[in-house]
Amino acid sequence: MAGQSYAALMQRLQALPGVRELGRTGEYPVYAVEQGDRPDLPPALLIGGTHGDEPAGTEAALEFCRRSGGPWLDSFNFLVVPCLNPHGYDRNTRHNGQGVDINWAYQRADVPEIQLVRQLVTGRRFAFVVDFHEDWESPGFYLYELYRNRTPVGPQLMEKVSRLCPLNTQPVIEGQPARGGIIVPTTEKHEELRGQGIPIVLFDHHTDHLLTTETPTSLSLEQRVQVQLAALETVVEAQRR
Ligand SMILES: [Zn+2]
């Protein structure tokens, strides 16, 4: 998106209840927002803006924080990182200031954004993780769902999103088999990516249910935010039961 600036975003982030600075990447502070503080409830993790040129995820996470979780705070405490890659956000680039795709650099010790994620999740387990992304080439919405000992939420999520925007129903998406816009990575693919991808590491060590949602960037920002929030709502409602 042309004209997006992290300085403007920072002002909006700093106004959120429960916000704190997680650390810095270069000159940029990265923020986390804590919603809910009941020790009897499990935490859930939301991440946006891993790729700086995917602003709808950041906007959706910010909007979620602005609404303060609502009735969902009876079921979960939320830990939200609305914009993991400020440098990329500021320049509208996928990569961080080192030219690294953070999402696939978990094994690297020299990537500050990865260090912040490590600090945030070490020793913790989350009821679920939702990782907001976007796809510049996809004709419609799709998602990745990783789960163990859980009922998948993908089908009902797609049904809900289908009322808001087109779905990507191609049989192969990003080189992986898909059904109705849902990619469940194969064991082989998972092994190939093990230790590298943020979502893979989070699923292997920190949660039994992770969804990566991908909105098509051809839609308006407002529409993409609505779709991301609808996807999140479906996940939360399913997990509350
Ligand atoms: Zn992405």
Side-chain angles (χ1 to χ4, degrees), residues 6-33:
Y6 195 65
L9 184 71
M10 270 173 60
Q11 290 195 349
R12 297 164 66 209
L13 290 168
Q14 287 167 352
L16 295 169
V19 71
R20 66 183 163 90
E21 189 179 311
L22 201 57
R24 292 204 164 230
T25 166
E27 69 203 87
Y28 298 101
V30 176
Y31 295 95
V33 183

Side-chain angles (χ1 to χ4, degrees), residues 138-142 158 166-173 178-182:
S138 177
F141 177 87
Y142 66 95
M158 297 307 281
L167 306 181
N168 184 339
T169 55
Q170 295 164 352
V172 176
I173 302 175
R179 281 186 77 165
I182 302 168

Side-chain angles (χ1 to χ4, degrees), residues 66-210:
R66 214 181 53 75
R67 294 179 189 176
S68 250
W72 297 345
L73 295 181
D74 287 345
S75 303
F76 304 102
N77 298 314
F78 289 90
L79 176 58
V80 187
V81 181
C83 187
L84 181 60
N85 180 5
H87 185 280
Y89 183 92
D90 219 20
R91 288 164 178 75
N92 195 27
T93 59
R94 179 178 178 87
H95 297 162
N96 75 351
Q98 301 160 296
V100 169
D101 184 342
I102 300 167
N103 206 42
W104 301 105
Y106 204 92
Q107 74 282 16
R108 287 180 58 162
D110 62 335
V111 177
E113 296 86 354
I114 293 293
Q115 297 312 315
L116 296 179
V117 174
R118 285 181 190 273
Q119 285 170 27
L120 196 65
V121 304
T122 295
R124 301 189 75 176
R125 282 197 78 80
F126 300 93
F128 58 89
V129 176
V130 176
D131 190 14
F132 294 126
H133 282 258
E134 302 211 73
D135 191 319
W136 288 84
E137 292 154 346
S138 177
F141 177 87
Y142 66 95
L143 62 83
Y144 299 83
E145 183 166 27
L146 298 166
Y147 58 95
R148 66 174 77 80
N149 308 321
R150 299 281 183 93
T151 305
V153 69
Q156 70 186 95
L157 193 161
M158 297 307 281
E159 203 279 319
K160 182 160 186 165
V161 166
S162 71
R163 294 179 228 152
L164 300 171
C165 85
L167 306 181
N168 184 339
T169 55
Q170 295 164 352
V172 176
I173 302 175
E174 293 290 306
Q176 297 191 57
R179 281 186 77 165
I182 302 168
I183 302 166
V184 179
T186 61
T187 308
E188 293 74 23
K189 191 72 184 171
H190 197 98
E191 283 304 319
E192 180 191 327
L193 300 172
R194 188 182 294 284
Q196 301 172 34
I198 292 178
I200 304 291
V201 171
L202 290 178
F203 180 68
D204 284 345
H205 302 289
H206 301 284
T207 189
D208 289 329
H209 207 160
L210 181 141

